[in-house]
Amino acid sequence: MAVNGGSESTDIKLLDAALQKKTVKSVVMHLERKIDPDAPGIGNLLAWLEEMKELLNQEEYVKADYIQMRKKLYDAIEWVPDTDLRNKLRNSWLSFGKALDKKVPRYTNQ
């Protein structure tokens, strides 16, 4: 970590962003495994997955883009007619939100 205070704060924010992006990627991979591409009403969710993969492949991390994608995920889930699958997908939606709140543990010298 850097010596001066301002740079240290920036380093922590970068670490938080990297952790959030990695955790979101894990949630998306898990969500992808839950989906049967032949299930009825799943088209919106498959389109969301493709858009999300493009976002994850981008180098920069803009949290607002990920929050917008979470909103789109909720909308896509609502189109799934299978209630059991919809409930499982909502769990992934909740995990997505928790991933966006992740922070690198802060250690203090006490």
Side-chain angles (χ1 to χ4, degrees):
M1 291 228 174
V3 176
N4 64 21
S7 184
E8 184 174 325
S9 175
T10 303
D11 289 347
I12 289 175
K13 287 179 183 176
L14 289 173
L15 289 172
D16 286 346
L19 176 64
Q20 290 168 3
K21 186 173 181 177
K22 182 178 180 181
T23 307
V24 166
K25 189 173 187 174
S26 174
V27 169
V28 170
M29 287 174 38
H30 183 72
L31 179 124
E32 191 172 19
R33 282 186 245 133
K34 291 181 182 179
I35 299 173
D36 175 11
D38 298 325
I42 210 83
N44 290 337
L45 195 56
L46 293 174
W48 178 87
L49 271 172
E50 289 305 313
E51 190 177 348
M52 190 66 212
K53 286 178 185 178
E54 290 174 17
L55 182 60
L56 286 168
N57 286 331
Q58 293 178 2
E59 191 67 31
E60 67 278 350
Y61 174 82
V62 180
K63 190 170 184 174
D65 293 342
Y66 284 78
I67 291 171
Q68 184 63 34
M69 287 303 292
R70 185 171 183 252
K71 290 176 184 177
K72 287 182 179 183
L73 174 60
Y74 185 83
D75 291 339
I77 290 170
E78 291 306 305
W79 285 96
V80 176
D82 181 353
T83 55
D84 290 334
L85 179 58
R86 197 167 51 230
N87 286 333
K88 290 177 185 178
L89 295 171
R90 283 187 184 135
N91 289 338
S92 294
W93 179 80
L94 289 170
S95 296
F96 193 126
K98 289 177 184 178
L100 293 175
D101 290 336
K102 285 254 185 203
K103 298 210 181 292
V104 173
R106 271 52 168 187
Y107 296 104
T108 58
N109 296 336
Q110 292 181 349

